Amino acid sequence: RVLGKEESDNTPLYLGMGEITIEMVDELTNQMAAKTELERKEKHIDFLSTCQNMISQEQDKQSLILTTMNHIQNHFLFDQMILLSGNKEQGEIEPFYFKEEFNLTREHIGIITSRLADYPTGFVVSRTEKRYEEFYDITSLFGVDEIASFVCIPIIMDNEIRDILIGYTKMQDNFTANISLLTEGDLTILRFSFKQLVDSLDRIDFNQKILEYNNELQAMNNKLHEHT
């Protein structure tokens, strides 16, 4: 078919390998898209399965955070990952984990938490989207011109943000290495795995408190026996 020709019929194209129609191209494109999506879902299933195993078996908080965050980073190919967690003593959210060293001030954290009030389940945005500029107030904190995909997920307890997961990929890693941009489906997977991580950290804290309480009771009991 000659470019610029006004007709929109289904005249076969001759490319030296038999007749190829628009319908055939559409069908092939749909099959490739379906195959890509299936592979993506299978990778997500493997990711969640491995993540659950790590979270359920690990009993040390630092090791759990490092292994889980590394697993998330490797799966989604993040260039930067940041975990912000609530400080119970000061009642503030502060940096708890960085993949790479980064200066995030209290003012920056305040901007992020204020913005998340409109996105209680988190958000994901990529540079190719029209709405990318809507999140400039947050992405600009991390170098807006470098970011290709950005995700931000809060954990809310008692109507307050307690923890925040931030991850992003940089421009060169996506557009020169042909890495897929983050999607709403990725946001769902990340939200689920992040919630599992936080729940497991709470479980470890609870078990530690129970152990300390039991040790105190045992010590008191031993002292009583010493005086009898």
Side-chain angles (χ1 to χ4, degrees):
R1 181 177 300 174
V2 179
L3 294 178
K5 191 175 180 180
E6 295 183 358
E7 297 94 317
S8 58
D9 57 28
N10 293 325
T11 304
L13 300 176
Y14 293 91
L15 301 179
M17 50 185 176
E19 295 183 357
I20 300 178
T21 64
I22 296 300
E23 286 81 1
M24 293 169 63
V25 174
D26 288 342
E27 177 63 23
L28 180 60
T29 301
N30 291 336
Q31 289 180 7
M32 293 176 64
K35 182 176 183 294
T36 300
E37 182 61 21
L38 179 60
E39 291 175 347
R40 190 184 189 100
K41 289 180 178 179
E42 288 176 344
K43 289 180 180 179
H44 279 338
I45 291 173
D46 291 339
F47 163 77
L48 288 175
S49 177
T50 303
C51 197
Q52 285 179 325
N53 288 334
M54 290 190 304
I55 288 175
S56 63
Q57 295 176 11
E58 187 60 66
Q59 298 299 319
D60 178 75
K61 287 183 66 173
Q62 293 297 328
S63 296
L64 175 60
I65 291 171
L66 287 175
T67 54
T68 304
M69 296 295 275
N70 283 336
H71 183 54
I72 293 173
Q73 169 207 326
N74 292 334
H75 181 74
F76 291 97
L77 302 177
F78 285 126
D79 294 298
Q80 175 65 294
M81 287 190 68
I82 300 170
L83 175 60
L84 306 176
S85 186
N87 185 311
K88 296 180 181 179
E89 295 181 357
Q90 299 179 3
E92 297 179 348
I93 295 177
E94 58 187 21
F96 192 72
Y97 169 91
F98 288 98
K99 177 182 180 290
E100 297 179 356
E101 193 63 30
F102 191 84
N103 182 28
L104 201 62
T105 67
R106 290 186 178 180
E107 181 182 359
H108 293 161
I109 295 173
I111 293 173
I112 295 170
T113 54
S114 296
R115 197 71 161 88
L116 285 171
D118 297 325
Y119 297 90
T121 59
F123 68 87
V124 60
V125 65
S126 294
R127 190 176 185 82
T128 54
E129 299 179 55
K130 292 182 179 179
R131 67 189 189 111
Y132 182 72
E133 293 184 358
E134 297 178 17
F135 298 93
Y136 180 83
D137 55 339
I138 292 184
T139 56
S140 62
L141 302 176
F142 305 90
V144 65
D145 293 331
E146 296 182 357
I147 293 175
S149 270
F150 186 94
V151 64
C152 188
I153 304 171
I155 295 294
I156 299 176
M157 302 284 287
D158 299 325
N159 296 319
E160 291 187 1
I161 295 177
R162 198 192 75 171
D163 305 284
I164 301 173
L165 177 68
I166 295 171
Y168 63 81
T169 52
K170 295 180 180 179
M171 279 279 290
Q172 62 269 23
D173 290 330
N174 282 271
F175 294 98
T176 62
N178 196 31
I179 297 174
S180 299
L181 299 175
L182 296 170
T183 67
E184 290 294 327
D186 296 327
L187 175 62
T188 300
I189 298 297
L190 280 164
R191 186 165 53 234
F192 180 77
S193 56
F194 184 35
K195 183 63 167 61
Q196 282 193 317
L197 171 61
V198 171
D199 287 345
S200 186
L201 291 173
D202 288 343
R203 172 182 56 80
I204 293 175
D205 279 340
F206 178 77
N207 290 340
Q208 183 62 34
K209 289 179 180 179
I210 293 296
L211 179 61
E212 292 173 358
Y213 181 68
N214 287 337
N215 289 339
E216 290 177 2
L217 288 178
Q218 185 63 44
M220 293 173 60
N221 188 49
N222 291 339
K223 287 184 179 180
L224 287 175
H225 284 295
E226 289 176 0
H227 296 286
T228 58

